[in-house]
Amino acid sequence: MKKATIAGAQNVEVSVKLPSEKTPQEQLAIMEEYTRVHQASLSLSKEEREINCLQVIYPTLFRKTEPGDLIAGRLDFLPIGFGCVTSLGGVGHYCVFDKLSKFRDSLSDPADQKRVDDLYTYWEDHDTKALYCNDVLTDTTIGRFIDGHYPLMATARLSGMMLDYPMLLDNGIEGLKDKIRAKHDPDNEFLNASLKALDLFQTTCDHLIDSIAESEQTVQSLQRIKELELMRNDLKVIKTDTPRTFHQALQLVWLYALLAGCINYGRLDDFLGPYLQHDVDSGLITDDDAFAYLKSLWTLIENRRTTVNGRIIVGGYGRKHPEAADHFARIAIKVTQACKYVEPQFTFRFNKETPQDIIDMAYDCIGSGSTYPTLYNDDVNVPAVEYGMRVDHRTAEQYVMFGCGEFVIQGQSLGTPNTLLNLLKLLTITLNEGVDPMDHEVKSGPVYIKPLSEFRTFDDLYDNYKKLLDYYFDLSVDAQYYSYQLMNREVSFLFASILMDDCIDRGKAILDGGIRYLGGTNETYGNINTSDALYAIKQLVYVQHKYTLQQLNEAALNDFQGAEDIREDLWNQPKYGNDVADADAFANDLFEYVAKNIRQRGIDRGMQYYLIVISNNQTNTEWGRETAASLDGRHAGQFMNPANNPQGGAAKSGPTAVLNSLATFNAKYHGGSVQNIKFTPRMFNHNRQEIKWLFNTYFKNGGCHLMVTIVDHGVLEDAQKHPEKYPNLIVRVSGFSAIFVNLDKDVQDELLARTLYDE
């Protein structure tokens, strides 16, 4: 009997998807054929089943090349198919049930609706994520992503795949086949299926070549004919040979990423820079040509509409070709500034050796109103990754970030965030003898939670809260590890596995023992609300003796109605984000307890690493809706603090103070921590030298990362009232950017609550 509710949204999705090119009847036929092939392949190995199903959707789901495209490859996604992540369909053999239901409702013929119903019934028992949820979710403790009723959310996905593109570029498709054949293992199902996957890549090249040739017959512009001819000829090259030009290398990487279902691209500056430099030096292309190619790539990534992904990273330690990579980076920054897209999430790794002109270009790009690049401090992050992921320094230099800020090692590790923990909800449960005040359900499991009257000291309370945290840490690591086991039981992720070290050498898929470093990340929410609340309790109850713990909790249970004075006292206590040593130290104490204990549990469970990531991808707002009033003065249902930043309205001491607080957390204990700050254009652009001093001090003091939003006073408020006037206003939500008017109102409210610095 199923425990899991599989309908409903399964992903934070604020980007409006492009409609499918296929007619509803064509879509239905493809989904039926995929389902038929899957069912017919149930008795086969997972590898054979996967390749059989992939042959149904590739190249069938490829869209036509659009007029401005300079790189070939656009791909549709249906409610049923194969993928790695929920941003594009789902994981493994997937069915997105709510989207399938909407598709059904769009059909007028009852017979067609019945066909969809039959698909729905079949996939209830075969969708990879549904299988996981049925095994893992519980009635009170673990809910699916994104169901905020639970303190812990768990999911199955393969987010953050950052492939070894140099392996692809150095070998080409036929070279990869040779590497596989060299294993001399004809009975290895993974290797045999991998060869078929590479054959499918070549079939897709042929399909695109034919499609482009058809387009050439109807085009009048000589310039466009030349562009189409370039794409067609380069597809012929990359079908078999290693790329020789910048355009060929771009095309190969992009097309492979599409087939692999990967939505993050990593250190393209280092991989593609040498091709760019060679072509420019030889006179084959100009920087303007390279700009046009990259702008086309940026547009293709934006059109995938994955919301929180599309990472392209430039700069930093560990690059093999730093001068050529910097050439790429300079052009890429110009493209980002010109496009001002939500995606790709353009990211800048810097260090003490980074050329000043590139740093200045990055700041100019941010100051122009783009929310990119995001800034990552290698002098802090590289040694932090070395410790946190337990890798050597050279390996740590290859860290890359994805999604909302999680780290992996490109081509070498997997660290998908399949568990999410609400620290604040767990505190409210601790204050109510294990009961969640939002729905009155007991959610403490076997952990005994004392009545409030028995907490004689603050340490009594804190220790009981930590016992509840420990219980949920155990739940989370088991859920994380099982997500890998379940996905591995069902699929091999063939295209991704081929380009991950050391899958070919070991003859094993990513999750079957092929990946070099199997890790994980646990997203934590409400961190700062929780530490602020605990600090306020300590001060008002156990130091000042102004209130009893029962009085504070009773006020919170009534959402402070009739107890506004208590809320004022709670809100006015020293808070993280104001450079107050005691408040910051308390936040750091909670952070290290959570981070160290989760990490150790992952290691004990057999993973290379299991690190917390302090992000929010607007889940801080969605989870806040289901979290009771808290003793930092936050109202019931209100958004929680974003990532590692103070609660909206709590930072009252200026940008230097907030950055000083942000820098207190030791980066080696987490696997990514989002830091946001917001300035007016006048402040950021007219006081650029002061901004540089401010940021330099923050980064020298241990700041690991910064995401900067530039917006005028009143613009967001006006956009909320008159959305039609601001269809393209981009804002930094947390680990991702979004069109402001596409966000839910309470998400907009959370952004408005963040301090905007103008002096």
Side-chain angles (χ1 to χ4, degrees):
M1 183 176 181
K2 292 181 175 62
K3 296 180 292 184
T5 301
I6 52 179
Q10 66 170 17
N11 191 54
V12 172
E13 191 172 54
V14 297
S15 298
V16 179
K17 302 289 188 187
L18 298 179
S20 174
E21 280 189 343
K22 302 290 188 293
T23 68
Q25 285 298 318
E26 289 172 326
Q27 294 177 54
L28 181 53
I30 294 168
M31 290 190 289
E32 285 182 321
E33 177 63 8
Y34 189 96
T35 303
R36 185 195 68 77
V37 170
H38 184 274
Q39 187 171 20
S41 302
L42 287 175
S43 62
L44 303 178
S45 68
K46 63 178 181 178
E47 293 86 1
E48 290 179 283
R49 182 166 60 250
E50 182 173 329
I51 198 67
N52 289 346
C53 288
L54 289 177
Q55 289 169 347
V56 173
I57 57 176
Y58 299 148
T60 302
L61 288 181
F62 273 81
R63 300 165 66 100
K64 294 178 181 178
T65 300
E66 297 194 0
D69 291 348
L70 300 180
I71 301 168
R74 290 174 173 270
L75 190 60
D76 270 341
F77 292 88
L78 302 182
I80 292 171
F82 188 92
C84 292
V85 294
T86 53
S87 309
L88 293 174
V91 61
H93 303 288
Y94 72 77
C95 176
V96 186
F97 293 97
D98 65 327
K99 291 187 177 181
L100 186 63
S101 295
K102 291 175 183 176
F103 176 78
R104 179 194 185 279
D105 293 343
S106 73
L107 302 173
S108 56
D109 187 339
D112 289 340
Q113 292 179 340
K114 173 63 167 58
R115 292 163 66 188
V116 175
D117 290 339
D118 291 342
L119 295 175
Y120 195 109
T121 299
Y122 177 82
W123 287 104
E124 283 183 302
D125 295 322
H126 295 95
D127 167 68
T128 307
K129 186 177 176 184
L131 294 173
Y132 171 78
C133 289
N134 290 334
D135 289 344
V136 170
L137 305 191
T138 69
D139 292 334
T140 58
T141 56
I142 309 175
R144 67 173 179 83
F145 185 62
I146 45 178
D147 188 341
H149 291 90
Y150 300 83
L152 172 63
M153 294 192 288
T155 188
R157 55 187 176 181
L158 205 67
S159 297
M161 294 303 304
M162 296 281 195
L163 304 183
D164 186 351
Y165 291 114
M167 185 197 302
L168 173 66
L169 294 167
D170 292 345
N171 291 277
I173 299 302
E174 286 298 328
L176 289 174
K177 287 184 179 181
D178 290 341
K179 286 175 68 71
I180 294 170
R181 294 189 189 105
K183 298 304 295 179
H184 303 297
D185 192 353
D187 297 324
N188 185 297
E189 298 275 13
F190 165 68
L191 294 176
N192 290 335
S194 293
L195 287 172
K196 293 179 181 178
L198 295 173
D199 288 341
L200 187 54
F201 179 97
Q202 294 174 319
T203 299
T204 300
C205 286
D206 287 335
H207 171 86
L208 292 173
I209 290 167
D210 292 343
S211 177
I212 291 171
E214 287 181 20
S215 298
E216 288 181 79
Q217 303 305 312
T218 61
V219 172
Q220 302 297 319
S221 164
L222 292 177
Q223 176 63 31
R224 186 55 182 163
I225 291 173
K226 182 179 178 182
E227 292 167 354
L228 291 172
E229 186 179 53
L230 175 67
M231 284 190 281
R232 179 166 50 81
N233 289 337
D234 283 355
L235 283 165
K236 290 179 181 178
V237 171
I238 68 165
K239 176 184 172 182
T240 54
D241 298 338
T242 56
R244 298 185 294 273
T245 69
F246 180 55
H247 186 270
Q248 290 168 6
L250 268 177
Q251 182 67 74
L252 179 57
V253 167
W254 173 246
L255 185 54
Y256 198 99
L258 286 180
L259 292 172
C262 292
I263 53 179
N264 294 286
Y265 312 98
R267 308 188 77 178
L268 292 189
D269 62 335
D270 200 34
F271 309 155
L272 298 176
Y275 294 92
L276 166 65
Q277 191 73 54
H278 173 270
D279 288 4
V280 171
D281 289 347
S282 64
L284 182 64
I285 64 172
T286 66
D287 278 1
D288 288 343
D289 294 324
F291 179 97
Y293 297 159
L294 290 184
K295 186 175 181 182
S296 181
L297 177 64
W298 264 232
T299 302
L300 290 169
I301 292 171
E302 190 280 335
N303 285 180
R304 293 186 87 183
R305 307 287 170 85
T306 66
T307 299
V308 301
N309 294 285
R311 289 271 184 173
I312 289 177
I313 298 151
V314 300
Y317 290 122
R319 295 179 298 170
K320 295 179 181 178
H321 313 284
E323 290 186 10
D326 283 345
H327 189 169
F328 180 101
R330 291 181 176 96
I331 297 174
I333 293 172
K334 292 178 181 178
V335 172
T336 301
Q337 185 168 347
C339 290
K340 291 186 172 62
Y341 290 153
V342 169
E343 295 179 76
Q345 283 215 68
F346 185 62
T347 299
F348 178 39
R349 284 176 49 180
F350 66 91
N351 55 52
K352 58 191 175 185
E353 300 172 2
T354 301
Q356 186 60 47
D357 73 294
I358 298 182
I359 294 175
D360 290 340
M361 288 180 69
Y363 286 175
D364 286 343
C365 187
I366 293 168
S368 72
S370 173
T371 57
Y372 301 111
T374 58
L375 308 173
Y376 284 82
N377 180 6
D378 266 16
D379 290 314
V380 168
N381 288 321
V382 170
V385 168
E386 184 177 356
Y387 173 86
M389 294 188 179
R390 302 191 298 154
V391 296
D392 61 59
H393 188 80
R394 185 175 179 182
T395 300
E397 288 181 333
Q398 300 306 321
Y399 85 95
V400 286
M401 59 297 298
F402 68 93
C404 291
E406 301 89 340
F407 293 164
V408 288
I409 307 297
Q410 179 135 14
Q412 300 180 54
S413 84
L414 177 68
T416 186
N418 286 349
T419 49
L420 305 88
L421 198 58
N422 186 339
L423 302 182
L424 186 61
K425 182 181 278 287
L426 289 173
L427 179 59
T428 66
I429 290 169
T430 303
L431 293 169
N432 289 277
E433 296 185 53
V435 175
D436 185 346
M438 292 299 283
D439 56 16
H440 309 294
E441 293 279 348
V442 176
K443 299 178 181 177
S444 54
V447 179
Y448 172 68
I449 306 295
K450 297 178 181 179
L452 295 183
S453 60
E454 293 186 17
F455 294 127
R456 304 298 184 190
T457 66
F458 175 77
D459 286 343
D460 288 343
L461 169 62
Y462 201 14
D463 289 345
N464 208 177
Y465 173 57
K466 288 177 178 177
K467 288 179 181 177
L468 186 59
L469 288 178
D470 289 345
Y471 170 64
Y472 273 88
F473 297 162
D474 290 337
L475 292 178
S476 69
V477 72
D478 288 343
Q480 177 80 29
Y481 198 79
Y482 184 68
S483 72
Y484 295 151
Q485 293 177 313
L486 187 281
M487 288 187 288
N488 184 56
R489 189 184 78 197
E490 298 297 315
V491 292
S492 291
F493 301 108
L494 291 168
F495 276 106
S497 292
I498 291 168
L499 290 189
M500 291 296 284
D501 303 341
D502 302 295
C503 292
I504 291 177
D505 286 343
R506 296 176 180 175
K508 295 180 178 181
I510 292 172
L511 297 175
D512 213 14
I515 191 74
R516 183 172 297 179
Y517 303 118
L518 180 66
T521 44
N522 185 326
E523 298 181 9
T524 58
Y525 294 84
N527 306 52
I528 303 304
N529 295 108
T530 303
S531 65
D532 282 347
L534 287 166
Y535 185 77
I537 290 169
K538 183 175 183 179
Q539 293 301 310
L540 292 174
V541 175
Y542 297 101
V543 175
Q544 301 174 24
H545 304 289
K546 187 170 184 178
Y547 303 103
T548 66
L549 189 54
Q550 292 91 327
Q551 286 176 305
L552 294 184
N553 195 52
E554 187 64 27
L557 290 175
N558 291 307
D559 200 19
F560 304 112
Q561 293 186 20
E564 289 78 8
D565 56 335
I566 291 180
R567 186 200 173 259
E568 281 293 310
D569 277 344
L570 291 168
W571 183 251
N572 289 329
Q573 292 302 302
K575 284 186 164 43
Y576 171 88
N578 294 282
D579 199 14
V580 177
D582 287 349
D584 290 352
F586 210 99
N588 192 60
D589 183 81
L590 176 63
F591 154 69
E592 291 201 5
Y593 183 83
V594 173
K596 291 176 181 178
N597 279 277
I598 284 179
R599 178 178 183 269
Q600 190 58 51
R601 279 168 171 79
I603 293 171
D604 293 344
R605 193 68 174 80
M607 289 187 281
Q608 178 73 17
Y609 60 88
Y610 183 44
L611 303 173
I612 72 165
V613 57
I614 313 174
S615 68
N616 69 296
N617 61 33
Q618 87 178 45
T619 304
N620 68 311
T621 298
E622 296 182 347
W623 224 337
R625 295 169 189 163
E626 304 298 335
T627 301
S630 48
L631 296 185
D632 58 336
R634 175 193 147 275
H635 283 291
Q638 187 183 15
F639 50 79
M640 299 186 293
N641 76 282
N644 194 34
N645 295 76
Q647 177 74 355
K652 302 176 181 179
S653 304
T656 301
V658 75
L659 290 178
N660 285 343
S661 292
L662 292 177
T664 59
F665 284 21
N666 192 328
K668 73 178 186 179
Y669 296 125
H670 62 66
S673 179
V674 172
Q675 326 276 29
N676 290 308
I677 195 163
K678 193 165 63 173
F679 296 98
T680 64
R682 188 201 68 78
M683 173 66 176
F684 190 83
N685 293 323
H686 295 176
N687 299 279
R688 182 62 59 81
Q689 187 57 56
E690 289 82 355
I691 291 292
K692 288 182 181 179
W693 290 335
L694 176 67
F695 287 5
N696 288 344
T697 300
Y698 163 68
F699 290 126
K700 287 178 181 177
N701 287 342
C704 60
H705 163 249
L706 208 55
M707 293 181 174
V708 186
T709 297
I710 307 300
V711 65
D712 267 316
H713 276 300
V715 168
L716 299 185
E717 291 88 340
D718 194 51
Q720 195 175 53
K721 296 174 183 175
H722 305 288
E724 71 283 355
K725 294 166 55 179
Y726 302 91
N728 299 309
L729 177 61
I730 299 176
V731 293
R732 169 62 56 180
V733 179
S734 181
F736 71 99
S737 295
I739 301 293
F740 181 77
V741 298
N742 289 346
L743 300 169
D744 291 344
K745 183 181 181 300
D746 56 351
V747 179
Q748 295 176 348
D749 290 341
E750 194 268 303
L751 299 179
L752 286 166
R754 299 179 191 175
T755 303
L756 174 62
Y757 296 109
D758 193 25
E759 60 181 20

